[in-house]
Amino acid sequence: MEISGVGGVGHSALEYAAIPAFQDNYIWVISNGRDAVVIDPGDEAPVRAYLRERRLRLSAILLTHHHGDHTGGALALAEGQDIPVYGPASESIPGVTHPVREKNTVQIKTPALRFSVLEVPGHTLGHIAFFASGFA
Ligand SMILES: [Zn+2]
């Protein structure tokens, strides 16, 4: 099953999609038709295929927790490129360049997105959520 849609505020239309991964997982992508942010890329191959098909440039990676099925593709996707990788400060995740914690703000230039970081321990102790607090 593929989940996708279009949303946004004002003139900044955003596309979002859930790329199926592994048996029962999704990798979320938010794009403006040119640049894309990927959330929890557990596997690099389906993300690369998605980006290539749509001629999207990867601009940032967001990671919610340390499990391999959510982080496994991050290092390879960011390798050799200046792509910020945001992840929970309280978990050790290879490739994270911007450790974040509760109340931090993540500002992505393009697509223009602003997230507030929420700590949501449960699935893992350091699990975080990125709350889209603005489209700036
Ligand atoms: Zn997990």
Side-chain angles (χ1 to χ4, degrees), residues 102-135:
E102 179 89 11
K103 295 194 171 99
N104 284 169
T105 298
V106 171
Q107 181 84 48
I108 311 289
K109 268 190 203 157
T110 174
L113 292 165
R114 188 171 58 240
F115 298 96
S116 299
V117 175
L118 305 172
E119 291 178 354
V120 288
H123 179 61
T124 67
L125 197 56
H127 202 295
I128 59 172
F130 296 92
F131 179 74
S133 58
F135 302 88

Side-chain angles (χ1 to χ4, degrees), residues 66-119:
H66 69 87
H67 288 162
D69 61 340
H70 286 245
T71 60
L75 263 182
L77 287 168
E79 189 180 15
Q81 301 180 77
D82 188 22
I83 294 174
V85 181
Y86 298 88
S90 64
E91 294 190 344
S92 180
I93 304 175
V96 169
T97 59
H98 294 63
V100 292
R101 57 182 70 249
E102 179 89 11
K103 295 194 171 99
N104 284 169
T105 298
V106 171
Q107 181 84 48
I108 311 289
K109 268 190 203 157
T110 174
L113 292 165
R114 188 171 58 240
F115 298 96
S116 299
V117 175
L118 305 172
E119 291 178 354

